[in-house]
Amino acid sequence: MRIPCPYCGERDVSEFAYLGDAGYVRPDPDTADAPRRYVEAVYLRDNPAGPHEELWFHSQGCRQWLQVRRDTRTHEILGLRVAGPTADPEAG
Amino acid sequence: MSEAAQPKRISRGGMIDRARALSFRFDDRDYTGYAGDTLASALLANGIRRVGRSFKYHRSRGVLTAGPEEPNALVELRTGDRREPNTRATVTELFAGLEARSQNRWPSLALDLGAVSSCFSPLFVAGFYYKTFMWPKSFWEKLYEPAIRRAAGLGRASGQPDPDGYEKSFGFCDVLVIGAGPAGLAAALAAARRGARVVLCEEDFLLGGRLNAERCSIDGSDAVDWVRRVEAELASFADVRILRRTSVFGLYDGTAGSHSASGTRTFGAVERVSDHLQQPPQFQPRQRLWKIVARRAVLAAGAVERTIAFGGNDRPGIMLASAVRSYVNRFAVLPGRRVAVFTSTDDGWKAAFDLSEAGASVEALIDARGEPPASLIEQLRATGARLYAGSRVVEGHGSAGLSGVTIMDSQARRTRLRVDALAVSGGWNPNLALATHTGSKPRWSERIHAFVPDVLPGGLAVAGAARGALTLREALSEGAEAGAAAAEQLGFSGAAGEQWRADEEASEVAPLWFVGESRGKAFVDFQHDVTHEDVALAAREGFRSVEHLKRYTTLGMATDQGRTSALNAHAIMSALTGRSIAELGTPGARPPCTPVAIGAFAGPHRGRHFRPTRRTAGHGWAQEQGATFIEAGDWLRAQWFAQPGESDWQATVDREVKAVRTRVGLCDVSTLGKVDIQGRDAAKFLDRVYSNVFSTLPVGKVRYGLMLREDGFVLDDGTSAHLSPDHYVMSTTTANAQRVLQHLEHARQLLWPDLDVRLASVTEQWAQYAIAGPESRRLLEQALGDALSVSNQAFPYLACAEFRWQGVPARLFRISFSGELAYELAVPAQYGDAAVRAIAAAGASLGVVPYGLESLNVMRIEKGHLTGNELNGTTTAADLGMGRLMSTRKDFIGRVLAQRPGLTDPRRPALVGVRPIDPYSPVRSGAHFLSMGEPPTLENDQGYVTSAAFSPMLNSWIALGLLSRGRERLGERIRIHDPVRSGTDVEVEVVAPVFFDPAGERLVT
Amino acid sequence: MRYSIFTLARQAFSGHRRWSEAWRDAEPRPGYDVVVIGGGGHGLATAYYLARNHGVSRIAVLERGWIGSGNAGRNTTIIRSNYLLAGNNPFYEWSLRLWEGLEQDLNYNTMVSQRGVLNLCHTDAQRDAFARRGNAMRMHGVDAELLDPEQIRQMLPLLDFDNARFPIRGGLLQRRGGTARHDAVVWGFARAASALGVDVIQNCEVTGFVRQGERICGVQTTRGTIHADRIGMAVAGSTSRVGQLAGLRLPIESHVLQAFVSEAIKPLIHGVVTFGAGHFYISQSDKGGLVFGGDIDGYNSYAQRGNLPTVEDVCEGGMALMPALGRVRMLRSWGGVMDMTMDGSPIIDRTPVEGLYLNGGWCYGGFKATPASGWCFAHLLARGESHELARAYRLDRFASGHLLSEKGQGPQPNLH
Amino acid sequence: MSHATLIPRSALAGLTFHSASRPNVLAWDLPPVSLASVVSRRGPVAELRRRALAELGVALPEGPRRVSAGFISLVGIGPGAWLAIADRLDADFHIRIGRTLGPCASVADQSGAHALLRLSGAQIRSTLGKLLPIDLYPRAFAVGAAATTAAAQIPVHLWRLEDGTGGHPVFEIAVPRSLAVSFWHALTESAAEFGFALNP
């Protein structure tokens, strides 16, 4: 598998570290239902068979966290962007 | 070489170099062949028909094919530590001094399946072992299984370290062409002419594929000349790479998925660099693994001829028709003098023509079809062969080698013919395995009665016989089109105009899978001895899907993957169950499509170079001091520094510890992870990633910090030093350095991108040395001079400073892992060697000693400091007695989930110290705690020892451990249970987890 | 028909023409007491023990393809009970006990072969962790031995003791560990269950659930609707997908685990060996093939195939441990889809949806668990309460924090 | 009072290899120079670029490229991240850059973090092809191109300089100091078949 890093260009998967579901949003710790929302955020997964938004860290390259859209049935890379709500100034 | 030496060698022709005779050994006898031979062709030339024994029935077997699909002619190649079992003689290039042995010949003595098979073979039907060997219970493992294990398997591995080297290489190209037969050559040339960057891989040592084995012409001249012309033109392109002896074994993902056209794909290939030599030349590997990234690929791997299942179809001397033509035309070998051909295809007839041309007496041509093409019949007249149309071979005779065949003609009359060779042609199976590696399924073709590629992986085209286009004419045109299309899709357009003319060919195929009137065993898997009866039994017992059939009968699971015969079994099953072959299921192939040496996948990463080794800047100095090194993750660290006369490592460690505690010691701590943290929000960032507060840490101070995972368990611990406003340097444990940095980048880039903070790893930048002991301050004063004042007032406990030491940027931290008055001095790594020598020199008069990991460990246990043994990913801050570091004044990673009942349960094991009542009773890490008098059961398990050591200061064994409700149990006597290492339990007292200088006075004086 | 050498001999005289089907290829009926989704080892074992231990009469096993076509036929056939945690160890030990009597119990030779499982360690910390685990095993009456390098050299002279990047410092040996023939396990349970009246229904894919208010009372399948009082899921690799049909969101990620087999060679390796400084484990099958594997590829996948870097990593580990493997050829590879849970331990529990029960999350440890998994899941389905051996495998442990993590890597499956 | 003086030491000092008579792969162990990591702070990089141009006389490369001007060259190693390389060993290098780029960038001394090698020769691409998972084909990796990747499992920064004598490509590679010995082994093993020489 190869991932087209927006900074480094297309690279072999062995340069990247996988974290998983990119849907993770760290809940507000100060709400009443924080415990439940943390459990869901940290432990539960959609785990779809099909397009999956996921996080890869280019650990052997530019050290950016990337959000990759990949089909879990075919391993096709469908899309990619720098992860996080706001991208780094120079990324992409 | 005289003809006598090679009785079956044809006196002229062939693509062998008769000027270069090569001697070789087979089963301890000497023979001679020619350069250009394979081991199989050389054996056949020497009149050897029987080359091995079958797996289950130990029947004599000979050469069936002339390619990698060979199921029978497997040998042990080479000797000693280079012995290679199961090597296919049909693709083994002959070299001078080659040594080979037949395999599986004399079964083991214990249970000689070979010997009994003749009379007991009726018992050894598919899956017989599932139905028996169950009684008496103990006999399976004691008797039956060992016997089966000894009898099973084929060749013997060398059992010794592989002496040869392997390499890996990445390759990149626009168009990868797989196979250099007519289609592949045409494709490669078409792509190259358009300016594409081309890689052409050919499994054989000659380019040309079938053109080397057949008598055919292109543009009116001999096809072999065409091959040489194309080869020469390809070689003239700078951007074309031809890889001979290279098998493309797997199709893997690139950016493209299973079906999308755009993007790249990764192909795995193995280049047999030196397998055609007695051993690899200096600096050359045996094999090279290629990882080829291609934007487009053309699969032109040809097709494999399949056999026909009839009684005794495994007799040595029975060969695929295509193989016969290979041996006759390419290798100038005559497989038999009196020969016959059994075919259900037009193609099979060509074997008769070639054999006759080569001087064999063709006794008969048996065509299962009632009315073969008139043109062929006309051509056959010249050979004088008798035609049996609408007839079938029902039995092959001759256990040591074919002596004759019995045929049944259209009127069901049986005739026995005396022949010593039979060419069989049952049709062609396209080599489409690569096209199915990413999950694409082939479809059934009623035209050629075989599976052909259907939906293809994106970017992959298939051309020629691999697509079921069996004529040379189609191969040339399809190849050229595929190569041109691939290049043009990528925007290349150059001189086109490849137009090659080839003769018409009759290529009709009629399905003939199994001869119902067969007498004797009809094999559908030669190597695993699967017969038509086994297929019938599987059907009877309900193993009817292709996968069940395969798993129950082991059909197609041998080294040849059933390429020449498994489809016959599917056909038999479909006849028995009234379902079409397609309905039975299409077995998708998985990599590798040809067996690949495990060494090739490993490449150079073996032995001491299995993984890279990290060495600190002080490594050389430590070696000079007599260090014994130990692996710590990727690093090598000094474990201890033994001195002459020391009885054992314990004596060494005792000396080092005492020296540090009484004078001063020097330890390389460069391996700790170091992260440079800068930004206006650096303090805020640290507050969120550490459980304790850092925003209150003044410049010039260091603080210990605890880091949790979001799930509330401890991830790592370390210190962070406030060097200057908005600038910190964090230290992590050696083991977690990389994971922590990734964790921090995740927090910075994803959780809080709004913070102005930036991270840089400076682990490599700083060589860092701990100087510990009562005399450490004096040592530093001597080493640093007036570069920095280290008086207790100027530089108190937990102080840090950046300064210049002899003009070199340096850092000093007053922190202590040993519990002594201690400092850590850091310099840029290129000065690390000089610095450690300077420190040692400065401390010489003070009796400074270098100390290693082991002494560090003893001292940190004496102080109850933590390492990976305690930070094992399942402990909480509270477990480790650090509940106070869980700030309630701020948010931090792990805060919420750390409050779950399972993590706050008071019964959780808590960190304690233990001391044996008898100070000399060893306590070892990994031992379990039990209350006195309680039997050793899991229910009574009270926790375990995390770290233990003998303390020379307390003159006693001491240990840290996690004990259930530990904090409430100080003073209690419990026992230590360590059955895997000691028969008797040790009684210990539970104490606070700090044994030495509990008040910490030494740190601050 | 009872299997034995005598039956085999009798059959031989009649040219093996009188063998009957190993199991009935049943047609679905409209309703059952219990429907088990998934005709793999776990599902078939569950059905067998439901019938044998709990006298449940109307049972169906629904298999999307042909039985054993999932992970049951895509593993490396290792059986062992060398677990550390009190929540795991008794369960796996019971599983091993069941393995030890399985041939006689099922009247089918599943080729259980206890040639030993040896875990190697390469650092002192690893050795101490092995000691801790070995001690825990012994405290539960499980056999465990801590070996020193010399003892290992005697056992396996093949290993690299003299030129290794990470020298072997010891090992934890469970002699009762070993292997079993994976397909035979599936066929044996199917045959035995079928003999007790269980309907084994192949080519029957579940496409939805039938609800009655909040309760689930049946399944829609490609072969029609089937009603049942209780429905058990044992669909390793598809747990999230089937669970989603019932509206479940689970602590599971699907990852691909590759495995490999070499060409058949004469006996080279006796037992099972695992490398401690890389991702590699190996054993040799009765047919002579070296069966080996390593780590999961490490990304979500339902593709049942992996990629080259993992293959290289595994073989590098193999060569580092056994330099004699260099010239042995890899013949085949395959990929299985693993249900990776967030703490690396399985789930056998009722779900929030009444009538639906879950057996899944076996990560890459499902095969060895087959008998006990069926045993405990059958108990749960029959009695409505967890079997004492499977009490720790609760679905709510993530919320309560009573995690069952042998490795302590945290909620990131590709680190387990 | 210690009189030992602090002198820098090459990470490759004292390493052995098979030296060929007619080498096709050449390596030079570069004399020690100062390096620093430069990471743009949060917010627009316009100001950073302006200062770099005004104070250092270099246009910060966008993407993985190397630019050189006077005493300094900068290699792009990530978005908003560069490796600054001085032309000599200068203890104040990172401080001066830090001052010039002020609050727009975080600057950290990396002088000791890398072993720097220059590589060339007729077979340098074939040699690096065995080590690097990236395409060094002339069109794909032109003069001035840079890459951060892994060479035989070792993280490296690599960039291409102007072609050298004989028209052979010239690369420079920065290897983590602690891994220099392992990299050296991998390099010399890969180059051996072509003939290898150091500091010819």
Side-chain angles (χ1 to χ4, degrees), chain B residues 632-696:
Chain B
D634 300 343
W635 292 94
L636 284 183
R637 296 189 68 176
Q639 195 172 13
W640 52 67
F641 297 80
Q643 285 191 356
E646 282 171 341
S647 53
D648 60 6
W649 68 266
Q650 187 66 59
T652 303
V653 169
D654 290 355
R655 171 184 53 80
E656 289 176 9
V657 169
K658 284 182 181 149
V660 172
R661 295 263 186 238
T662 56
R663 299 197 307 278
V664 59
L666 168 57
C667 181
D668 188 341
V669 294
S670 304
T671 63
L672 291 181
K674 310 174 206 79
V675 186
D676 184 87
I677 302 172
Q678 298 184 44
R680 281 186 303 279
D681 299 320
K684 198 180 293 176
F685 181 74
L686 289 175
D687 273 348
R688 294 183 186 180
V689 295
Y690 279 127
S691 71
N692 50 323
V693 180
F694 272 76
S695 46
T696 56

Side-chain angles (χ1 to χ4, degrees), chain B residues 654-962:
Chain B
D654 290 355
R655 171 184 53 80
E656 289 176 9
V657 169
K658 284 182 181 149
V660 172
R661 295 263 186 238
T662 56
R663 299 197 307 278
V664 59
L666 168 57
C667 181
D668 188 341
V669 294
S670 304
T671 63
L672 291 181
K674 310 174 206 79
V675 186
D676 184 87
I677 302 172
Q678 298 184 44
R680 281 186 303 279
D681 299 320
K684 198 180 293 176
F685 181 74
L686 289 175
D687 273 348
R688 294 183 186 180
V689 295
Y690 279 127
S691 71
N692 50 323
V693 180
F694 272 76
S695 46
T696 56
L697 181 68
V699 168
K701 279 292 196 176
V702 186
R703 183 170 289 172
Y704 176 84
L706 197 65
M707 205 177 281
L708 308 187
R709 297 186 308 234
E710 195 62 273
D711 69 354
F713 292 95
V714 176
L715 168 63
D716 197 51
D717 70 345
T719 62
S720 279
H722 201 168
L723 295 172
S724 61
D726 303 346
H727 188 191
Y728 297 76
V729 64
M730 170 191 285
S731 75
T732 75
T733 60
T734 300
N736 288 334
Q738 295 214 359
R739 187 172 176 184
V740 166
L741 188 58
Q742 182 177 328
H743 173 77
L744 296 176
E745 283 293 356
H746 178 262
R748 185 187 76 83
Q749 293 180 36
L750 272 62
L751 301 184
W752 303 299
D754 53 319
L755 295 185
D756 177 43
V757 59
R758 291 295 181 264
L759 312 171
S761 171
V762 288
T763 305
E764 292 284 338
Q765 162 65 14
W766 297 99
Q768 196 154 317
Y769 301 96
I771 299 132
E775 300 285 5
S776 55
R777 183 179 294 124
R778 276 183 60 202
L779 185 155
L780 277 176
E781 283 163 356
Q782 297 191 27
L784 303 180
D786 46 21
L788 182 74
S789 164
V790 293
S791 71
N792 206 22
Q793 298 68 27
F795 203 77
Y797 180 51
L798 294 179
C800 68
E802 291 182 292
F803 66 105
R804 289 300 170 95
W805 180 25
Q806 297 184 27
V808 172
R811 291 172 177 177
L812 190 69
F813 311 86
R814 185 167 164 187
I815 51 179
S816 176
F817 199 47
S818 59
E820 291 301 317
L821 168 67
Y823 304 80
E824 289 188 11
L825 177 61
V827 296
Q830 74 269 35
Y831 297 102
D833 178 74
V836 71
R837 295 175 191 277
I839 297 165
S845 59
L846 302 166
V848 66
V849 301
Y851 64 99
L853 265 189
E854 207 58 47
S855 299
L856 196 62
N857 195 45
V858 171
M859 289 189 279
R860 69 97 188 171
I861 294 172
E862 288 176 335
K863 291 295 295 181
H865 292 156
L866 309 177
T867 65
N869 296 26
E870 289 76 29
L871 310 174
N872 62 13
T874 62
T875 44
T876 66
D879 296 346
L880 302 173
M882 304 216 170
R884 63 186 153 68
L885 294 187
M886 298 280 284
S887 169
T888 54
R889 294 189 279 117
K890 63 181 183 82
D891 176 27
F892 59 89
I893 290 175
R895 173 179 152 207
V896 171
L897 291 182
Q899 306 311 317
R900 286 177 291 172
L903 282 74
T904 52
D905 188 332
R907 289 163 303 174
R908 283 184 68 90
L911 187 76
V912 296
V914 295
R915 279 182 79 157
I917 304 308
D918 165 9
Y920 297 110
S921 307
V923 178
R924 292 202 180 80
S925 172
H928 284 240
F929 295 133
L930 286 170
S931 301
M932 302 306 291
E934 298 281 0
T937 64
L938 279 184
E939 297 67 41
N940 294 335
D941 193 357
Q942 296 293 297
Y944 72 103
V945 175
T946 56
S947 306
F950 182 83
S951 163
M953 304 314 292
L954 287 76
N955 194 27
S956 166
W957 280 87
I958 58 171
L960 301 173
L962 290 160

Side-chain angles (χ1 to χ4, degrees), chain C residues 120 181 205 238 272 406:
Chain C
L120 298 171
R181 174 87 177 91
E205 179 168 9
S238 303
V272 180
E406 294 261 328

Side-chain angles (χ1 to χ4, degrees), chain C residues 111-397:
Chain C
M111 303 191 172
V112 169
S113 175
Q114 296 175 287
R115 301 195 306 281
V117 170
L118 174 63
N119 303 144
L120 298 171
C121 61
H122 308 262
T123 66
D124 293 354
Q126 248 180 341
R127 189 198 50 226
D128 294 343
F130 279 3
R132 179 188 171 200
R133 178 146 60 100
N135 286 330
M137 291 162 67
R138 294 277 281 268
M139 287 165 74
H140 188 60
V142 181
D143 73 300
E145 298 163 55
L146 199 65
L147 305 185
D148 62 33
E150 220 16 71
Q151 291 169 293
I152 294 168
R153 196 192 282 264
Q154 298 305 323
M155 257 178 87
L156 286 157
L158 207 71
L159 305 184
D160 187 347
F161 289 90
D162 309 317
N163 189 41
R165 169 76 173 81
F166 299 103
I168 295 164
R169 303 207 182 276
L172 181 65
L173 173 66
Q174 181 182 25
R175 293 190 190 273
R176 284 168 58 243
T179 59
R181 174 87 177 91
H182 57 359
D183 293 324
V185 173
V186 172
W187 302 333
F189 272 117
R191 177 168 168 271
S194 180
L196 293 175
V198 172
D199 281 357
V200 178
I201 304 166
Q202 304 188 100
N203 303 305
C204 179
E205 179 168 9
V206 169
T207 56
F209 288 94
V210 182
R211 285 175 179 275
Q212 199 173 64
E214 286 310 289
R215 199 173 188 300
I216 279 185
C217 62
V219 291
Q220 283 125 9
T221 78
T222 50
R223 297 177 67 173
T225 298
I226 303 170
H227 288 272
D229 303 345
R230 273 150 294 160
I231 295 165
M233 287 169 53
V235 291
S238 303
T239 304
S240 293
R241 280 192 284 187
V242 177
Q244 197 178 32
L245 297 175
L248 298 177
R249 192 162 181 261
L250 299 165
I252 287 174
E253 276 180 21
S254 298
H255 285 254
V256 61
L257 177 66
Q258 298 190 68
F260 312 88
V261 63
S262 79
E263 295 180 343
I265 52 176
K266 293 294 181 190
L268 185 72
I269 297 163
H270 186 66
V272 180
V273 188
T274 71
F275 186 33
H279 299 289
F280 178 76
Y281 60 93
I282 189 167
S283 67
Q284 187 167 16
S285 79
D286 285 350
K287 280 212 298 290
L290 303 178
V291 181
F292 58 101
D295 198 9
I296 54 178
D297 270 43
Y299 43 79
N300 286 48
S301 177
Y302 284 93
Q304 289 193 325
R305 59 183 181 82
N307 274 291
L308 207 42
T310 308
V311 185
E312 296 174 73
D313 182 66
V314 170
C315 292
E316 286 165 9
M319 281 297 278
L321 188 61
M322 300 180 179
L325 294 183
R327 300 174 106 82
V328 177
R329 297 185 202 89
M330 177 193 295
L331 177 61
R332 253 194 328 274
S333 71
W334 62 91
V337 178
M338 311 287 116
D339 287 349
M340 301 300 294
T341 58
M342 297 301 140
D343 63 356
S345 296
I347 298 161
I348 301 178
D349 200 359
R350 43 176 68 245
T351 71
V353 186
E354 204 189 332
L356 182 64
Y357 299 77
L358 171 63
N359 171 332
W362 291 99
C363 300
Y364 28 70
F367 179 71
K368 72 177 91 69
T370 303
S373 168
W375 186 278
C376 294
F377 198 36
H379 181 282
L380 175 66
L381 284 162
R383 308 273 185 83
E385 64 191 30
S386 293
H387 189 285
E388 59 175 338
L389 293 171
R391 259 203 223 102
Y393 301 153
R394 296 168 60 96
L395 188 49
D396 66 4
R397 66 179 186 265

Side-chain angles (χ1 to χ4, degrees), chain B residues 334-346:
Chain B
L334 207 53
R337 301 261 175 236
R338 293 171 55 85
V339 303
V341 175
F342 178 27
T343 180
S344 64
T345 74
D346 296 344

Side-chain angles (χ1 to χ4, degrees), chain B residues 396-719:
Chain B
H397 307 280
S399 60
L402 189 68
S403 58
V405 294
T406 302
I407 62 178
M408 179 185 275
D409 65 20
S410 42
Q411 281 74 41
R413 281 182 308 239
R414 291 172 183 269
T415 322
R416 180 160 175 161
L417 299 173
R418 194 164 60 79
V419 292
D420 57 2
L422 178 74
V424 178
S425 174
W428 294 87
N429 297 338
N431 281 328
L432 46 69
L434 272 175
T436 68
H437 280 176
T438 54
S440 311
K441 291 283 181 195
R443 70 175 167 78
W444 182 254
S445 160
E446 281 302 334
R447 184 173 66 84
I448 64 163
H449 307 281
F451 284 105
V452 296
D454 187 15
V455 180
L456 290 171
L460 181 77
V462 186
R467 244 194 93 247
L470 298 176
T471 68
L472 177 54
R473 176 174 291 193
E474 293 168 293
L476 292 169
S477 59
E478 286 194 0
E481 282 161 28
E488 280 156 12
Q489 286 161 20
L490 298 172
F492 295 95
S493 55
E498 37 294 292
Q499 279 302 331
W500 298 294
R501 205 163 25 74
D503 307 337
E504 283 286 357
E505 285 174 279
S507 64
E508 287 307 305
V509 177
L512 175 61
W513 309 100
F514 170 55
V515 175
E517 304 82 352
S518 288
R519 221 183 288 143
K521 289 193 182 323
F523 289 88
V524 292
D525 185 314
F526 293 101
Q527 200 180 122
H528 271 171
D529 280 342
V530 181
T531 68
H532 69 289
E533 289 157 344
D534 295 320
V535 178
L537 177 61
R540 212 168 290 132
E541 295 193 90
F543 299 93
R544 302 190 184 108
S545 83
V546 170
E547 280 292 330
H548 276 162
L549 171 65
K550 168 180 142 196
R551 290 158 181 268
Y552 191 61
T553 64
T554 73
L555 172 87
M557 294 174 100
T559 63
D560 64 315
Q561 309 255 316
R563 288 162 75 182
T564 53
S565 56
L567 195 58
N568 299 66
H570 298 177
I572 294 170
M573 176 62 81
S574 87
L576 289 167
T577 57
R579 290 176 301 169
S580 75
I581 293 177
E583 282 172 315
L584 283 179
T586 56
R590 299 183 296 263
C593 42
T594 187
V596 177
I598 290 170
F601 284 110
H605 304 290
R606 53 189 278 199
R608 296 204 182 283
H609 305 290
F610 165 55
R611 293 291 177 254
T613 303
R614 299 180 78 178
R615 295 173 175 79
T616 66
H619 188 85
W621 171 81
Q623 267 174 319
E624 294 167 24
Q625 306 307 309
T628 297
F629 291 96
I630 181 88
E631 300 75 25
D634 300 343
W635 292 94
L636 284 183
R637 296 189 68 176
Q639 195 172 13
W640 52 67
F641 297 80
Q643 285 191 356
E646 282 171 341
S647 53
D648 60 6
W649 68 266
Q650 187 66 59
T652 303
V653 169
D654 290 355
R655 171 184 53 80
E656 289 176 9
V657 169
K658 284 182 181 149
V660 172
R661 295 263 186 238
T662 56
R663 299 197 307 278
V664 59
L666 168 57
C667 181
D668 188 341
V669 294
S670 304
T671 63
L672 291 181
K674 310 174 206 79
V675 186
D676 184 87
I677 302 172
Q678 298 184 44
R680 281 186 303 279
D681 299 320
K684 198 180 293 176
F685 181 74
L686 289 175
D687 273 348
R688 294 183 186 180
V689 295
Y690 279 127
S691 71
N692 50 323
V693 180
F694 272 76
S695 46
T696 56
L697 181 68
V699 168
K701 279 292 196 176
V702 186
R703 183 170 289 172
Y704 176 84
L706 197 65
M707 205 177 281
L708 308 187
R709 297 186 308 234
E710 195 62 273
D711 69 354
F713 292 95
V714 176
L715 168 63
D716 197 51
D717 70 345
T719 62

